Amino acid sequence: MEFLVRLLALALALALGPAVTLAGPAKSPYQLVLQHSRLRGRQHGPNVCAVQKLIGTNKKYFTNCKQWYQRKICGKSTVISYECCPGYEKVPGEKGCPAALPLSNLYETLGVVGSTTTQLYTDRTEKLRPEMEGPGSFTIFAPSNEAWASLPAEVLDSLVSNVNIELLNALRYHMVDRRVLTDELKHGMSLTSMYQNSNIQIHHYPNGIVTVNCARLLKADHHATNGVVHLIDKVISTITNNIQQIIEIEDTFETLRAAVAASGLNTVLESDGQFTLLAPTNEAFEKIPAETLNRILGDPEALRDLLNNHILKSAMCAEAIVAGMSMETLEGTTLEVGCSGDMLTVNGKAIISNKDILATNGVIHFIDELLIPDSAKTLFELAAESDVSTAIDLFRQAGLGTHLSGNERLTLLAPLNSVFKDGTPRIDAQTKNLLLNHIVKDQVASKYLYHGQTLETLGGKKLRVFVYRNSLCIENSCIAAHDKRGRYGTLFTMDRMLTPPMGTVMDILKGDSRFSMLVAAIQSAGLTETLNREGVYTVFAPTNEAFQAMPPGELNKLLGNAKELANILKYHVGDEILVSGGIGALVRLKSLQGDKLEVSSKNNVVNVNKEPVAEADIMATNGVVHAITSILQPPANRPQERGDELADSALEIFKQASAFSRVRCLLGSRLAGTVVGPPLGPMKDLSRPCLPWPLSQSLFETSPHFYWYIHCPS
């Protein structure tokens, strides 16, 4: 009965979802990380937590599962140490930390958690120690001894020189007049401090790190008789200005100030919320070409996109970053924010020069390099960071650069650099016209393209869009990477040079001497009109070599039978357009003859019915031509293995005999037209299933023939 009760309780917890468990509400990220640290330390005794210590420093972290296995913080190696979990202590002679810390008042608890400097400074004030020892309920975010020691000397001197005003106010700012545990510390919340009701900013991150005005909680939830103590790694100070006000007073943001004013984003940076501004310094603006900077500053939309790309949607303190994480900007892009040792990185670059400048509505990090989003770039600028530089050089040499740097709405189909590994084409009128047909007269996005759509180019051609299961192609060229959408133009990275259609399938075949025999055969079979009219055909076109490889007698017989010839030729024509980039492991393509062709691709070689294609993707206005060097035979015309032929082995005969479910059974058999044995017993004419006799009994060799016995159930 007890087991059933537990089982029902577990089922109920699972049904209610992850937010409710048998133990109550879901744990906070900090509590989950602490729980994992406790799990990793349990082999050392009760209430032992595993912590990761950054080698060469005193920094310690409760570990989550990922960090446990990586053994790194910000790319730096760590060692695992084991210590008492918060709220517990060792007992001499016993394993682990079995004893709970004795409860005492806040003042005494400061000494227990390792904040004796805070305790000392509390003693120096006249009013604060009695409050900490008296009745009430308080929370104190107590700086560690190291935090006090790291304060600049002039700041510390100003505090201790006026203990009953400056020092008292500083300590009261670290206090809240009620008990607040970590499970109540929510991301983005504010707590009212005991200094002039000034706010304290709380951030509780998914990785379990909790910050107070960007100071990290080192040891949390130490209970006292009159409150709770949280040990933090910095001395915090009051926050008075919002992000916009900080920009206004910092000399290094002169260009940024002008840009914010021109874009109208000052209202956002003054508003309530919790943002992270990656604030570009004057130096950052000076690093980009003057032409680019002036273009963006003179374009309000591009300028807004640029600035929004520097504003993260949530506040991110440096202490919360222990590994790379993706952060979304107001522009809608994603930045990779990470760390390398003590340096913060953005998209892998250590460009943050000053961090954790706190504002009432977020945090500012100074950066020395502009983060220009794609949406503020020209096609030239987009291509500079893509693997299509060779193609861009061709466009420039052909005198088409103005299309890629102006304000025309265009889409550039740029082949990968690898397409030109054997060399680039000579720039002439034909090449220029080909390149013009790689520029579409509209700014499109690949996610909106559909099968059968046509795109008009600057060269006057209409390109068709083909959507396949695993690829998206424009004529013979398929998109090889995510498109990049710029200010006016979009960049499609393509897997090959595009070849626009130059005529119908018949025009293509007639214009290529390799297909002269095929053209004659098509005309004889009466299929010329079919391959000239509008349609969507895939033609596997046998070359003259394919016809010449046939025995003369068979070739003459085929060419002399118009009906059979038409049947064979229709088998070479698929009823939809299939370019090589759209072929997966195996595609079954229905032919005009009715049977299906098996088309596959491996190692960039296309095969049809296991025959290699000599040249793929010759584009026509009504289809595509693939050259082949053999004649494809429909299934009905292919040689079939005869079941009554002498098999190569007894096992093969056994397999063939097993394939027939019903036979007319005669106990005397003819193999390959020869009677090899007399009837054994009376002849039986049965119309019921017959089973092969066990092989050892039913088949034996009598040179030079085999006897074949079939046992029929009576």
Side-chain angles (χ1 to χ4, degrees):
M1 178 62 71
E2 182 181 355
F3 171 76
L4 288 175
V5 170
R6 289 181 178 178
L7 188 61
L8 286 171
L10 178 60
L12 179 61
L14 293 173
L16 291 173
V20 178
T21 67
L22 295 180
K27 295 180 181 291
S28 69
Y30 172 82
Q31 292 294 336
L32 289 173
V33 169
L34 183 62
Q35 179 178 304
H36 180 265
S37 292
R38 185 188 293 268
L39 179 68
R40 295 297 182 183
R42 63 183 177 180
Q43 60 182 323
H44 295 274
N47 305 313
V48 174
C49 284
V51 296
Q52 282 188 281
K53 182 180 179 182
L54 201 58
I55 295 175
T57 72
N58 289 322
K59 283 189 171 183
K60 295 179 181 179
Y61 296 82
F62 291 121
T63 180
N64 61 30
C65 189
K66 184 177 181 180
Q67 291 166 347
W68 174 265
Y69 288 108
Q70 290 183 343
R71 294 289 202 272
K72 289 184 181 298
I73 299 291
C74 288
K76 302 297 182 181
S77 297
T78 62
V79 293
I80 302 296
S81 62
Y82 298 91
E83 56 188 48
C84 292
C85 296
Y88 294 90
E89 65 179 353
K90 291 181 175 294
V91 174
E94 294 194 29
K95 187 177 181 181
C97 306
L101 287 170
L103 278 182
S104 55
N105 59 50
L106 282 174
Y107 178 81
E108 296 295 336
T109 304
L110 288 173
V112 172
V113 302
S115 186
T116 53
T117 305
T118 306
Q119 200 177 39
L120 173 66
Y121 287 148
T122 299
D123 275 336
R124 293 192 180 185
T125 66
E126 295 179 358
K127 300 179 181 179
L128 199 54
R129 180 171 178 175
E131 286 186 21
M132 287 190 178
E133 292 178 328
S137 181
F138 307 99
T139 295
I140 180 167
F141 296 101
S144 65
N145 295 337
E146 292 82 1
W148 286 107
S150 66
L151 277 179
E154 61 273 16
V155 174
L156 194 56
D157 287 345
S158 69
L159 292 176
V160 298
S161 64
N162 193 348
V163 292
N164 288 316
I165 297 178
E166 296 294 337
L167 184 59
L168 177 63
N169 291 341
L171 291 172
R172 283 189 180 279
Y173 184 63
H174 289 73
M175 297 178 66
V176 177
D177 63 355
R178 64 185 180 88
R179 186 189 305 265
V180 184
L181 300 175
T182 51
D183 57 1
E184 190 182 339
L185 298 177
K186 307 299 182 184
H187 191 71
M189 73 179 293
S190 295
L191 293 176
T192 302
S193 76
M194 292 175 61
Y195 169 66
Q196 296 183 355
N197 292 327
S198 299
N199 283 339
I200 302 172
Q201 300 291 343
I202 304 296
H203 294 99
H204 195 150
Y205 298 94
N207 60 8
I209 289 177
V210 181
T211 62
V212 182
N213 283 13
C214 285
R216 180 168 66 93
L217 261 67
L218 302 177
K219 295 180 180 179
D221 296 340
H222 284 275
H223 291 272
T225 55
N226 56 346
V228 62
V229 176
H230 304 291
L231 189 69
I232 59 177
D233 70 346
K234 292 183 181 71
V235 178
I236 62 175
S237 56
T238 56
I239 308 167
T240 55
N241 294 327
N242 60 43
I243 292 175
Q244 178 62 31
Q245 289 169 331
I246 293 174
I247 292 174
E248 293 290 344
I249 61 178
E250 283 285 343
D251 292 337
T252 191
F253 293 146
E254 182 181 354
T255 309
L256 178 60
R257 273 197 300 275
V260 169
S263 67
L265 280 177
N266 50 324
T267 54
V268 174
L269 299 180
E270 292 170 345
S271 65
D272 292 337
Q274 285 294 304
F275 305 107
T276 299
L277 175 64
L278 302 173
T281 61
N282 295 336
E283 179 187 351
F285 283 98
E286 291 166 1
K287 286 181 179 179
I288 68 171
E291 181 183 354
T292 301
L293 178 59
N294 292 333
R295 176 183 62 79
I296 294 176
L297 292 177
D299 182 345
E301 184 173 335
L303 183 57
R304 275 193 300 274
D305 289 348
L306 171 70
L307 295 178
N308 279 332
N309 198 50
H310 290 74
I311 305 173
L312 305 181
K313 287 185 173 180
S314 61
M316 178 56 65
C317 295
E319 282 296 333
I321 302 171
V322 295
M325 61 179 68
S326 296
M327 302 289 293
E328 189 177 357
T329 69
L330 293 187
E331 168 59 12
T333 56
T334 298
L335 300 178
E336 289 295 323
V337 181
C339 53
S340 178
D342 292 332
M343 298 182 296
L344 290 187
T345 62
V346 180
N347 293 341
K349 297 181 179 180
I351 59 175
I352 295 179
S353 56
N354 195 2
K355 55 191 178 185
D356 288 348
I357 310 302
L358 286 168
T360 56
N361 57 346
V363 60
I364 300 175
H365 305 298
F366 293 23
I367 62 171
D368 293 332
E369 187 174 304
L370 272 184
L371 306 170
I372 305 177
D374 288 349
S375 58
K377 294 178 181 177
T378 65
L379 281 169
F380 263 141
E381 291 162 353
L382 288 175
E385 300 174 3
S386 302
D387 192 19
V388 294
S389 57
T390 305
I392 296 304
D393 286 340
L394 287 175
F395 283 102
R396 187 183 287 110
Q397 293 170 30
L400 302 177
T402 54
H403 294 295
L404 308 186
S405 57
N407 56 7
E408 296 175 88
R409 294 287 180 183
L410 302 171
T411 299
L412 179 65
L413 312 178
L416 286 162
N417 290 339
S418 58
V419 172
F420 305 102
K421 63 180 183 294
D422 296 326
T424 57
R426 184 171 59 89
I427 301 298
D428 54 21
Q430 184 177 353
T431 302
K432 181 175 181 179
N433 189 57
L434 177 61
L435 293 174
L436 281 170
N437 285 319
H438 282 72
I439 305 176
V440 175
K441 280 184 177 181
D442 194 10
Q443 187 177 18
V444 299
S446 61
K447 62 185 177 182
Y448 295 120
L449 297 181
Y450 57 89
H451 193 75
Q453 183 179 2
T454 57
L455 307 172
E456 188 176 355
T457 71
L458 293 184
K461 292 290 184 181
K462 292 196 174 182
L463 308 177
R464 295 160 298 180
V465 176
F466 306 122
V467 179
Y468 301 104
R469 183 174 296 277
N470 296 311
S471 54
L472 177 60
C473 305
I474 299 172
E475 294 298 337
N476 62 303
S477 185
C478 300
I479 296 175
H482 291 297
D483 40 303
K484 291 177 172 285
R485 186 175 180 87
R487 177 66 179 92
Y488 296 104
T490 298
L491 175 69
F492 285 3
T493 301
M494 311 302 291
D495 67 354
R496 66 196 69 196
M497 284 290 284
L498 185 143
T499 54
M502 303 302 293
T504 66
V505 168
M506 279 307 297
D507 292 333
I508 298 294
L509 297 177
K510 287 179 179 179
D512 193 326
S513 60
R514 292 178 298 172
F515 303 119
S516 59
M517 294 183 71
L518 174 60
V519 170
I522 290 171
Q523 292 170 341
S524 297
L527 296 176
T528 303
E529 183 181 348
T530 299
L531 298 181
N532 259 329
R533 66 182 177 220
E534 288 187 11
V536 285
Y537 304 118
T538 296
V539 179
F540 293 96
T543 61
N544 294 343
E545 178 186 346
F547 284 98
Q548 291 163 357
M550 293 181 66
E554 288 187 23
L555 178 58
N556 292 335
K557 181 180 178 182
L558 176 62
L559 296 177
N561 186 338
K563 183 177 180 181
E564 180 62 19
L565 179 61
N567 188 61
I568 291 286
L569 293 178
K570 285 180 179 179
Y571 184 62
H572 288 72
V573 183
D575 64 356
E576 60 180 286
I577 296 178
L578 182 62
V579 299
S580 60
I583 301 170
L586 179 65
V587 176
R588 301 189 73 215
L589 179 65
K590 186 178 180 182
S591 71
L592 298 186
Q593 176 262 356
D595 289 318
K596 291 189 175 181
L597 297 157
E598 294 189 350
V599 189
S600 61
S601 179
K602 186 176 182 181
N603 299 327
N604 295 320
V605 176
V606 177
N607 291 277
V608 56
N609 290 358
K610 300 183 180 179
E611 297 291 336
V613 169
E615 182 182 351
D617 299 335
I618 307 170
M619 305 308 296
T621 55
N622 59 345
V624 60
V625 175
H626 304 296
I628 59 176
T629 56
S630 59
I631 305 294
L632 304 177
Q633 295 292 336
N637 292 18
R638 297 176 198 165
Q640 299 292 317
E641 287 189 1
R642 294 175 56 86
D644 59 351
E645 290 179 351
L646 187 63
D648 289 337
S649 67
L651 182 58
E652 184 64 22
I653 294 175
F654 176 76
K655 288 179 179 178
Q656 291 187 29
S658 300
F660 296 94
S661 62
R662 299 186 67 87
V663 300
R664 296 180 62 81
C665 198
L666 297 177
L667 294 182
S669 301
R670 181 179 299 272
L671 291 178
T674 304
V675 175
V676 297
L680 302 181
M683 296 189 54
K684 296 182 181 179
D685 187 359
L686 303 174
S687 296
R688 61 178 181 269
C690 293
L691 305 175
W693 197 259
L695 190 59
S696 59
Q697 302 176 34
S698 65
L699 191 65
F700 57 90
E701 183 176 358
T702 303
S703 181
H705 303 295
F706 288 95
Y707 279 89
W708 191 6
Y709 292 79
I710 297 180
H711 168 63
C712 299
S714 57

